[in-house]
Amino acid sequence: MRVLVCDDEQLARDRLKRLVEKADNVEVVAEAANGREAIEQAQEHRPDVVLMDIRMPEMDGMEAAEHLSKIDNPPAIIFCTAYDEHALQAFKVHAVDYLLKPVSLSDLELALAKARTLNRVQLAELGKEVSEDKPRRRGHISARTHRGLELVPVDDVRYFLADQKYVTVCFSEGEVLIDETLKDLENEFGDQFVRIHRNALVALKYIEGMELATAGHHQVRLRGIEERLTVSRRHVAGLRKVLQSL
């Protein structure tokens, strides 16, 4: 069994690695200091299990678990944390187990045995459930591209544009497609984005203004983007009110 150890404290990672080495037929193939690194290492090393801390900088373990569920052949997640108040939320993201620090060898072996009984198909099914039941707001949007799972910070997103079954995410480095709905994105990030059209949400922080186009309809200008996005008539008054309050 291949294991990835993720914890923001080096001493904690070292202790977990020593415990893993004492278990039978288990090896540590990589380590990470936060959730974002865990996703990168998981895609490179393809572990069977991730031993994941929860409270970490940049991206915590809960959000990382959600994103990891979307990669091909997702690993099983075992949370290792000092805080038991996260237990219920851990199982909402379908963790295989939840261990309190300091982790004992016997508890770790039991958790690894539980993870071993789950095959890849079962883990993929858990991932589908995770994507339908997000317990809280994410800091990143994840998209499956030819490069693997690509993470886009929500703070870097200029707009979301719906087109049939996909949504285009425009950010500073380009665009990616995701299979989420505009309604769900609006519910999750409604304080950061405003709807300007039935198919478009734009980031409030990047709006420079609204102008009247030659064709008689309104458009919104976004900082750093030459493209102008159309504002539907029904959303003009609401957008104007939002801009006046900024």
Side-chain angles (χ1 to χ4, degrees), residues 82-139:
Y83 305 97
D84 59 2
E85 71 266 24
H86 295 294
L88 180 60
Q89 191 175 29
F91 289 108
K92 282 184 178 179
V93 294
H94 305 279
V96 171
D97 214 334
Y98 181 96
L99 305 178
L100 286 176
K101 297 177 180 178
V103 177
S104 69
L105 178 59
S106 59
D107 286 345
L108 177 62
E109 288 179 327
L110 286 173
L112 291 173
K114 189 185 299 185
R116 189 176 276 114
T117 63
L118 287 175
N119 61 38
R120 295 296 189 181
V121 173
Q122 290 170 315
L123 287 169
E125 287 302 311
L126 288 182
K128 291 178 183 177
E129 294 179 36
V130 171
S131 66
E132 296 168 359
D133 181 24
K134 300 179 179 62
R136 62 206 178 93
R137 185 162 63 182
R138 298 160 289 172

Side-chain angles (χ1 to χ4, degrees), residues 4-5 11 19 21 23 26 28 41-42 51 67 98 105 123 142 154 158 161-162 170 172 184 195 199 223 226 236 246:
L4 164 64
V5 174
L11 291 177
L19 285 178
E21 290 169 358
V26 183
V28 175
Q41 294 297 320
L51 300 180
H67 294 307
Y98 181 96
L105 178 59
L123 287 169
S142 56
V154 174
R158 270 54 174 180
L161 189 66
C170 176
S172 61
D184 287 343
R195 187 179 286 269
N199 68 349
R223 174 160 44 92
E226 294 184 8
V236 169
L246 293 179

Side-chain angles (χ1 to χ4, degrees), residues 21-216:
E21 290 169 358
K22 295 178 181 178
D24 294 332
N25 300 315
V26 183
E27 64 171 335
V28 175
V29 295
E31 61 181 276
N34 57 57
R36 190 180 185 97
E37 287 184 12
I39 294 168
E40 294 171 353
Q41 294 297 320
Q43 292 187 94
E44 180 177 351
H45 296 281
R46 299 296 178 183
D48 301 298
V49 176
V50 178
L51 300 180
M52 182 87 76
D53 190 17
I54 291 180
R55 294 189 179 181
M56 295 180 290
E58 189 170 347
M59 181 188 291
D60 66 24
M62 290 294 179
E63 183 177 351
E66 292 183 48
H67 294 307
L68 283 170
S69 72
K70 299 177 183 179
I71 70 174
D72 293 329
N73 297 322
I77 305 295
I78 298 174
F79 285 113
C80 304
T81 179
Y83 305 97
D84 59 2
E85 71 266 24
H86 295 294
L88 180 60
Q89 191 175 29
F91 289 108
K92 282 184 178 179
V93 294
H94 305 279
V96 171
D97 214 334
Y98 181 96
L99 305 178
L100 286 176
K101 297 177 180 178
V103 177
S104 69
L105 178 59
S106 59
D107 286 345
L108 177 62
E109 288 179 327
L110 286 173
L112 291 173
K114 189 185 299 185
R116 189 176 276 114
T117 63
L118 287 175
N119 61 38
R120 295 296 189 181
V121 173
Q122 290 170 315
L123 287 169
E125 287 302 311
L126 288 182
K128 291 178 183 177
E129 294 179 36
V130 171
S131 66
E132 296 168 359
D133 181 24
K134 300 179 179 62
R136 62 206 178 93
R137 185 162 63 182
R138 298 160 289 172
H140 296 73
I141 300 295
S142 56
R144 295 180 64 173
T145 71
H146 66 281
R147 293 184 290 271
L149 194 71
E150 188 169 345
L151 295 176
V152 179
V154 174
D155 285 343
D156 193 28
V157 175
R158 270 54 174 180
Y159 62 78
F160 296 108
L161 189 66
D163 181 15
Q164 297 182 357
K165 65 176 293 187
Y166 294 103
V167 169
T168 297
V169 182
C170 176
F171 61 111
S172 61
E173 297 182 13
E175 297 180 349
V176 293
L177 293 178
I178 59 175
D179 59 358
E180 302 185 45
T181 69
L182 212 60
K183 181 178 179 181
D184 287 343
L185 291 166
E186 185 176 25
N187 289 337
E188 188 173 0
F189 305 112
D191 61 337
Q192 296 173 260
F193 292 80
V194 61
R195 187 179 286 269
I196 64 167
H197 197 281
R198 62 180 176 81
N199 68 349
L201 293 172
V202 298
L204 289 167
K205 65 185 289 186
Y206 292 109
I207 296 178
E208 290 186 330
M210 182 170 59
E211 60 191 23
L212 190 63
T214 54

